[in-house]
Amino acid sequence: MPNNFLRRVDLIFDEDCNLKDVLKSTYQRSNDDIINELLESGLKGRGGAGFPTALKWKFTSEQPDADKYIVCNADEGEPGTFKDREILFKVPFKVFGGMAICAKVIGAKEGFLYLRGEYRFLLPELENQLKVFHSALNDLGINFTIKIVMGSGAYICGEESALFESMEGDRGEPRNKPPYPTVSGFRKKPTVINNVETLVYSFMIFRYGARKFKELGTADSRGSKVFSISGDTPKPGIYELELGMTVEQFVEEFGDGDTKAVQVGGASGFCVPRKKFKDTIIGFEGVPTGGSMMLFNSSRSMYNVLKNYLEFFEEESCGQCTPCRVGCQQLKLGIEAVKKGERHAVYLDQLQKLAQTMKITAKCGLGQSVANSFFSIVENFKEEMIY
Amino acid sequence: MAKKINLIIDGIPVTVDEGTTILHAAKQLNIHIPTLCYHDDLCVAGNCRVCVVEMKGARTLPASCAMPVAEGMEIMTNTIKVRTARKHIIELLLSEHNAQCTTCYKNGNCELQSLAAEYKISEPTFIDLVPLKNYQIDAFSPSIIKDDSKCIRCQRCVRTCEELQHVSALGVAYKGDKMKISTFFENPMFEVVCTNCGQCVNRCPTGALVERNYIDEVWDAIYNPDKHVVVQTAPAVRVALGEDLGVPTGEIVTGKMVSALRRLGFDSVLDTDFTADLTIMEEGFELLGRLKKVLVDKDSSVKLPMTTSCSPGWIKFIEHTYPEYLDNVSSCKSPQQMFGALAKTYYAQKRNVDPAKIVSVSIMPCTAKKFEADRPEMRSSGFKDVDYVLTTRELAVMIKQAGIDFGALPESRYDSFMGESSGAAVIFGATGGVMEAALRTAYEVVTGREVPFDGLNITPVRGMEGVREASIKIEQTQGDWKFLEGAVLKTVVAHGLTNAKKVMDAVRAGKGDWHFIEIMACPGGCLGGGGQPIPTSAEIRQKRADAIYREDAGKTIRKSHENPEIVSIYQEFLHEPNSHKSHELLHTHYKERQRY
């Protein structure tokens, strides 16, 4: 039976567009016009947090500073995502194009692409593509250059302010916010930092107009999204799908017939158990995702899944703030102790309270989001945690 | 004028300047918000999260130390949400902390301990992480002991070392559960660029960084009937010791301190101020000598500007960082080491005591002095010139251990000789003090007149600004000093090694045309030393400085060369400044050290 609700889209990898044409037509428009079109599209950041892209650009454009930057966050580190890699491999010119449009709006002369350390193999080809791009800009008389900066493999450097610290040569630790990047980002200057995919959608919105994008998706989650699908699925891979589907529809298409849970949004996302598949929308009105979709069938121990995530966080926390540094260790040791019978099952309640504290007191999104997978796995698979 | 912001904290409206943090706005309302990583002297880190508060409309609890106020903001500092979160955070810190408080050197003076008490933490909620980590105590340094098992990763030490001192001996290593405060290649503190200044010790909220204490060694010496224990006290100790003994900040306790030292059982209670005066004689004449060699003899082997050498933190800093300028450093030992060399020679002869039986103890505001006393260069008496260095804090501990009611002690005077001092020596404890003292003497030597400043107070070199320049025109010179007629003596004063770096970078770039540079490693000079009572802040340091200048103003002798004991030591023992004997005992040289 065909899955009527699952609409495949081909915006991201669509090669029916000419970089120069899009840039030329967009550069002729006023900045307000560009921002309004982007606002109209309803595009929200594709990194996971979902901040309206147009507003980021607008706030940065309003800053009086002479130096401003556009940074592409290509530090794709969330467990289970690998879509930015594919985008950078196949259509890097669209990423660069999105950056060039943003640069015009905010008044940036320099852009940076912060590339995940593990993606170093992409670097030579990206540099080649960048040469082509720069020469196109030269032809168009656009004064804008992009440099690629390599990360070194720390998950935390995907957090925007830690990414700036890393780019500046310092230890990748998140900063206090406010000020936000739109006011004080790279080199403490107003900076737009967008995910790879967000920049491509921005570019495509100026290729096809906001309407085409807006027709897709729901009121809260406009457009389509690239998903990285892995786990217990017969067809793992990268798919661009319209937003607004339920987990049930998703599982129908990608499950192996025995799916017991889907982890939406990676280790920092939410675990949706089978009983909630029907009522859970994948999108900002339900469970948001930066693209990671991991399917688990009944052969999997959700205790092991959670422990794996906690081990990941324990290691990838930058370690500066107490709730995240110590909290991650305590959550991991705590579930181990309960599993081994060293602590009573009620200790899980204590750990849930701790996770709640982490959610509201950690300095950045990393520590705050550990609670997402912790709550959703412990609450839905409590028996697996204890026995 | 700054824009005013209106907000409400715990239901009370308050108006503050734009840019104020919630923490400071609450302080204006006398609302106490607990903090750990926050320190007045340092940039905001916002990493301990103890100071979180509830903000109306916000999903998370912001850290009040890092969150600036905004118009119409509503803050609640005492809700169940806040209380639960803070308690959790304290419990998390305790789970990571070696909480063997009863055997901790900082027992009773630990910010984490106080917070645990404030929040009435009883049973440990979480799993003890300390046994899971392979902590090793770094106790190689003669100055500072670092125990990572007590570290709460607040990074005050890291910020201190970087921001105030520009040394960065301490940094953050690893991430996640393995994150720790460490050194270059995790070498011991003793083997890295650490200057031993102890500013980190002064700001560590727990017992992770403490001074190496020699309290028991000193007690043993005092109790040993075969030993003659001589104690000297540095200028800055007397303006801060009281803080650890229930006396208000900024009160000078010289007389009580002398009484207490006698009660502790020291055989002779003497004053580093005496050798501070002696330093002025030696260093002042060294400066004049250098000027003559450079200006008259055109001797290119003699270097100017000359820098002071009293601060052992500064000495180690220049050894590591600007070794090419070591010849610019005055060859004078610090007052502590001059005293030590004299205690086992001049003092021993005059008092007819076998120098082998003398135990020389110094009370210093400083942890670097411990390292200095251990230097191989500091044995010119034929013995270790200074056997034990105690910080102001350690002396306070000994006074308490001896059961002395410090506040009720009578005042008494130092023993003589090597106990008399001038006001010029007293101000050694404050930044700019050595400069002022040197100018009072040098100017008079050259011109026969007092320095042309009202009441001998050379105010341009005083104050808390990081780098301060002053110049004096020298006129109507006499005798050998005619060559200085009409010259303008240019000086600069810096305190805190970050400021020292600014001065030395200017010298290196050829931008500073100074003749004489005073550098103190610690903020405010010795009064803000790493061995002084905890806590420290700009306000506390200012009060100590005010006390020092009050003491100077009240002294009958204000100039080093007028100290009668100084006059006698030259008559009886040293003959003249920079004599052969002086060079043997009171001067030294330093060596280049690796940066890494």
Side-chain angles (χ1 to χ4, degrees):
Chain A
M1 194 179 74
N3 191 331
N4 294 326
F5 297 95
L6 205 69
R7 278 181 53 190
R8 298 198 182 182
V9 184
D10 192 16
L11 271 174
I12 290 278
F13 298 106
D14 166 28
E15 296 199 25
D16 178 26
C17 67
N18 180 293
L19 173 74
K20 276 192 185 176
D21 291 348
V22 176
L23 287 184
K24 201 173 173 182
S25 63
T26 314
Y27 263 68
Q28 280 165 0
R29 300 168 65 175
S30 76
N31 289 340
D32 284 350
D33 195 24
I34 295 174
I35 288 174
N36 284 337
E37 174 122 31
L38 202 58
L39 201 58
E40 168 75 14
S41 76
L43 175 64
K44 289 182 181 175
R46 292 300 195 239
F51 191 81
T53 306
L55 293 183
K56 252 190 202 179
W57 291 21
K58 184 168 185 280
F59 295 154
T60 309
S61 72
E62 287 163 357
Q63 293 302 315
D65 304 55
D67 295 323
K68 298 179 190 178
Y69 302 103
I70 159 76
V71 175
C72 171
N73 184 346
D75 191 47
E76 183 178 40
E78 189 61 47
T81 55
F82 37 88
K83 44 102 187 167
D84 290 345
R85 183 183 69 195
E86 196 72 2
I87 294 170
L88 290 168
F89 183 66
K90 287 191 170 150
V91 288
F93 75 95
K94 293 191 186 176
V95 181
F96 303 151
M99 291 171 76
I101 295 172
C102 177
K104 168 182 161 47
V105 173
I106 64 170
K109 298 280 172 285
E110 278 182 282
F112 296 89
L113 187 142
Y114 185 90
L115 187 64
R116 184 185 185 194
E118 290 86 338
Y119 290 175
R120 184 174 281 278
F121 68 94
L122 290 172
L123 187 61
E125 186 52 29
L126 281 174
E127 294 284 11
N128 284 339
Q129 294 291 327
L130 211 47
K131 272 184 205 141
V132 176
F133 172 76
H134 282 142
S135 97
L137 290 189
N138 200 32
D139 294 346
L140 294 167
I142 295 172
N143 176 17
F144 175 63
T145 51
I146 294 175
K147 288 194 189 96
I148 299 176
V149 181
M150 287 306 301
S152 302
Y155 172 73
I156 188 60
C157 290
E159 197 280 341
E160 54 195 18
S161 60
L163 187 149
F164 297 141
E165 289 290 312
S166 170
M167 279 177 65
E168 289 171 19
D170 288 328
R171 196 181 144 83
E173 286 185 346
R175 298 173 180 166
N176 289 302
K177 292 179 203 172
Y180 293 96
T182 51
V183 176
S184 172
F186 180 51
R187 295 175 183 155
K188 315 287 182 290
K189 299 289 180 192
T191 305
V192 166
I193 175 161
N194 282 146
N195 172 260
V196 171
E197 188 184 336
T198 312
L199 287 163
V200 176
Y201 277 121
S202 309
F203 183 80
M204 293 313 282
I205 283 164
F206 294 102
R207 160 77 178 86
Y208 288 114
R211 186 177 293 173
K212 176 160 177 171
F213 185 82
K214 206 180 158 188
E215 279 169 2
L216 300 167
T218 65
D220 276 347
S221 311
R222 294 280 178 212
S224 54
K225 164 109 199 64
V226 187
F227 291 90
S228 311
I229 298 165
S230 65
D232 296 316
T233 168
K235 36 184 177 182
I238 290 161
Y239 299 85
E240 185 176 354
L241 304 169
E242 181 178 356
L243 284 169
M245 68 195 141
T246 64
V247 179
E248 185 177 48
Q249 290 158 358
F250 175 84
V251 168
E252 208 170 289
E253 176 74 17
F254 294 101
D256 63 358
D258 183 29
T259 307
K260 84 166 170 186
V262 180
Q263 181 75 18
V264 182
S268 64
F270 298 84
C271 180
V272 183
R274 188 181 289 149
K275 63 182 184 237
K276 291 182 185 164
F277 283 176
K278 207 184 182 73
D279 305 323
T280 308
I281 292 173
I282 301 166
F284 297 110
E285 55 271 81
V287 280
T289 172
S292 171
M293 303 293 286
M294 286 183 269
L295 294 95
F296 299 110
N297 68 19
S298 60
S299 74
R300 305 293 167 183
S301 151
M302 295 313 287
Y303 166 81
N304 285 343
V305 169
L306 178 59
K307 195 179 140 197
N308 178 284
Y309 291 163
L310 292 174
E311 281 169 353
F312 173 79
F313 285 127
E314 176 188 61
E315 187 180 330
E316 292 297 343
S317 162
C318 75
Q320 69 165 319
C321 86
T322 312
C324 182
R325 179 186 66 250
V326 196
C328 290
Q329 296 175 64
Q330 289 295 353
L331 292 182
K332 189 202 78 175
L333 289 171
I335 64 162
E336 281 175 352
V338 169
K339 189 77 171 177
K340 286 186 207 153
E342 290 166 4
R343 292 253 172 166
H344 192 271
V346 293
Y347 190 56
L348 287 175
D349 300 340
Q350 194 71 47
L351 294 178
Q352 295 218 47
K353 286 182 194 155
L354 171 61
Q356 177 58 30
T357 291
M358 290 167 70
K359 195 183 175 83
I360 58 174
T361 63
K363 186 167 175 177
C364 81
L366 193 162
Q368 290 168 9
S369 61
V370 174
N372 296 345
S373 52
F374 191 84
F375 279 135
S376 55
I377 294 178
V378 169
E379 275 171 9
N380 293 309
F381 300 95
K382 202 159 198 169
E383 66 290 349
E384 287 193 43
M385 299 298 123
I386 301 168
Y387 305 108
Chain B
M1 217 174 85
K3 199 178 145 193
K4 295 290 176 189
I5 302 284
N6 302 294
L7 70 157
I8 295 170
I9 304 179
D10 293 343
I12 311 166
V14 61
T15 306
V16 295
D17 287 349
E18 187 176 28
T20 308
T21 60
I22 294 171
L23 180 69
H24 284 114
K27 208 169 263 176
Q28 291 189 21
L29 294 173
N30 294 318
I31 294 170
H32 167 71
I33 297 175
T35 54
L36 275 176
C37 69
Y38 177 82
H39 195 285
D40 276 335
D41 288 332
L42 306 172
C43 80
V44 168
N47 59 25
C48 78
R49 314 307 282 179
V50 164
C51 70
V52 289
V53 293
E54 202 170 333
M55 183 162 88
K56 198 175 175 187
R59 186 178 54 84
T60 58
L61 305 182
S64 59
C65 70
M67 179 63 87
V69 294
E71 188 63 36
M73 201 179 235
E74 273 185 58
I75 298 294
M76 286 127 315
T77 71
N78 182 23
T79 64
I80 182 73
K81 218 169 160 183
V82 169
R83 183 155 299 276
T84 308
R86 284 187 194 161
K87 203 168 172 192
H88 262 145
I89 289 162
I90 297 164
E91 284 170 335
L92 288 175
L93 287 170
L94 288 169
S95 78
E96 178 184 52
H97 175 81
N98 174 0
Q100 308 236 335
C101 296
T102 51
T103 54
C104 179
Y105 184 63
K106 287 286 285 291
N107 189 10
N109 189 6
C110 168
E111 294 178 42
L112 181 61
Q113 193 182 41
S114 310
L115 262 185
E118 193 177 317
Y119 278 76
K120 294 284 169 250
I121 307 293
S122 47
E123 284 288 289
T125 313
F126 300 115
I127 294 165
D128 185 4
L129 302 177
V130 178
L132 308 176
K133 322 242 167 179
N134 182 26
Y135 287 124
Q136 281 172 338
I137 296 176
D138 174 2
F140 292 99
S141 160
S143 293
I144 296 170
I145 294 176
K146 177 168 171 278
D147 181 353
D148 291 342
S149 74
K150 292 171 183 166
C151 175
I152 58 167
R153 278 80 163 167
C154 67
Q155 300 189 33
R156 274 191 198 171
C157 56
V158 175
R159 283 174 283 152
T160 300
C161 205
E162 181 182 331
E163 293 167 23
L164 301 181
Q165 302 299 64
H166 210 282
V167 170
S168 290
L170 292 170
V172 181
Y174 305 103
K175 63 181 167 45
D177 55 326
K178 296 184 181 59
M179 183 270 212
K180 64 191 275 197
I181 308 307
S182 193
T183 53
F184 188 71
F185 269 100
E186 299 206 68
N187 285 321
M189 298 271 278
F190 189 44
E191 290 175 15
V192 295
V193 290
C194 173
T195 64
N196 304 301
C197 73
Q199 288 300 313
C200 55
V201 173
N202 233 327
R203 289 175 182 76
C204 179
T206 68
L209 286 161
V210 295
E211 66 271 22
R212 172 183 281 281
N213 82 78
Y214 296 89
I215 295 171
D216 287 343
E217 286 84 345
V218 172
W219 277 128
D220 285 349
I222 288 174
Y223 292 141
N224 186 338
D226 293 334
K227 297 289 183 194
H228 181 90
V229 190
V230 174
V231 66
Q232 54 164 319
T233 62
V237 174
R238 64 207 71 190
V239 295
L241 175 68
E243 292 167 31
D244 268 358
L245 296 164
V247 176
T249 307
E251 219 168 276
I252 305 171
V253 295
T254 320
K256 286 182 191 297
M257 175 178 71
V258 172
S259 301
L261 288 164
R262 278 207 187 97
R263 286 269 295 272
L264 293 180
F266 287 102
D267 294 302
S268 205
V269 181
L270 303 174
D271 201 354
T272 317
D273 283 17
F274 165 75
T275 38
D277 278 332
L278 191 58
T279 301
I280 288 307
M281 299 303 290
E282 294 292 324
E283 199 163 306
F285 277 92
E286 183 187 353
L287 175 66
L288 294 174
R290 284 194 191 216
L291 286 169
K292 183 160 191 291
K293 280 180 191 150
V294 172
L295 300 175
V296 182
D297 308 343
K298 309 287 178 199
D299 181 348
S300 62
S301 70
V302 174
K303 301 281 189 251
L304 282 176
M306 185 177 90
T307 83
T308 56
S309 58
C310 307
S311 167
W314 154 240
I315 293 296
K316 189 144 185 283
F317 183 74
I318 192 173
E319 286 180 326
H320 283 295
T321 318
Y322 300 93
E324 71 272 31
Y325 287 99
L326 278 172
D327 288 341
N328 293 63
V329 178
S330 162
S331 65
C332 289
K333 287 181 183 172
S334 71
Q336 163 179 281
Q337 293 307 138
M338 285 196 182
F339 190 100
L342 291 173
K344 294 188 182 181
T345 54
Y346 176 58
Y347 175 88
Q349 285 167 26
K350 226 175 149 176
R351 288 285 299 263
N352 199 19
V353 186
D354 176 3
K357 289 187 173 174
I358 292 180
V359 175
S360 158
V361 175
S362 69
I363 313 294
M364 293 284 140
C366 182
T367 49
K369 289 281 175 197
K370 294 171 187 270
F371 173 85
E372 183 186 48
D374 263 15
R375 295 179 79 113
E377 299 92 336
M378 302 302 172
R379 291 166 179 270
S380 43
S381 64
F383 304 91
K384 196 180 173 205
D385 293 340
V386 175
D387 293 287
Y388 302 114
V389 179
L390 302 180
T391 58
T392 309
R393 294 190 292 268
E394 288 164 81
L395 174 60
V397 169
M398 289 183 74
I399 292 170
K400 288 180 198 162
Q401 286 177 342
I404 295 169
D405 180 354
F406 190 75
L409 282 175
E411 306 213 344
S412 52
R413 292 179 60 83
Y414 284 100
D415 290 325
S416 183
F417 50 104
M418 292 174 68
E420 186 61 73
S421 65
S422 73
V426 172
I427 57 174
F428 260 59
T431 167
V434 175
M435 179 63 71
E436 181 165 351
L439 292 177
R440 284 184 195 170
T441 289
Y443 189 88
E444 203 165 316
V445 165
V446 172
T447 66
R449 285 169 289 116
E450 289 190 336
V451 279
F453 287 92
D454 187 26
L456 296 175
N457 300 325
I458 309 180
T459 45
V461 300
R462 296 186 183 182
M464 286 296 174
E465 215 179 305
V467 177
R468 306 184 298 282
E469 290 180 274
S471 49
I472 294 188
K473 187 157 192 196
I474 301 171
E475 285 166 318
Q476 299 171 41
T477 48
Q478 53 178 30
D480 288 347
W481 310 108
K482 288 279 185 214
F483 73 94
L484 286 171
E485 185 61 42
V488 176
L489 185 68
K490 291 186 175 172
T491 67
V492 64
V493 171
H495 61 122
L497 292 172
T498 297
N499 295 315
K501 183 181 185 295
K502 288 179 193 160
V503 168
M504 291 311 291
D505 284 347
V507 169
R508 192 182 258 171
K511 285 179 187 157
D513 57 348
W514 306 296
H515 302 104
F516 191 29
I517 301 175
E518 181 208 290
I519 292 178
M520 294 295 155
C522 293
C526 302
L527 59 87
Q532 293 283 55
I534 297 168
T536 182
S537 68
E539 191 189 338
I540 291 170
R541 292 191 292 275
Q542 188 58 54
K543 282 185 179 167
R544 292 175 188 164
D546 295 344
I548 279 183
Y549 288 113
R550 273 203 312 278
E551 176 101 332
D552 167 39
K555 282 263 189 181
T556 38
I557 305 169
R558 303 280 306 285
K559 294 171 282 190
S560 299
H561 56 277
E562 289 178 357
N563 177 347
E565 290 190 350
I566 292 292
V567 176
S568 344
I569 195 172
Y570 280 112
Q571 282 168 357
E572 298 168 5
F573 191 68
L574 296 169
H575 313 305
E576 60 180 15
N578 296 333
S579 69
H580 181 72
K581 189 94 176 169
S582 296
H583 269 281
E584 204 174 277
L585 292 174
L586 310 180
H587 291 253
T588 186
H589 56 274
Y590 301 102
K591 61 170 188 191
E592 176 171 0
R593 289 174 197 267
Q594 295 296 307
R595 184 95 181 101
Y596 301 107

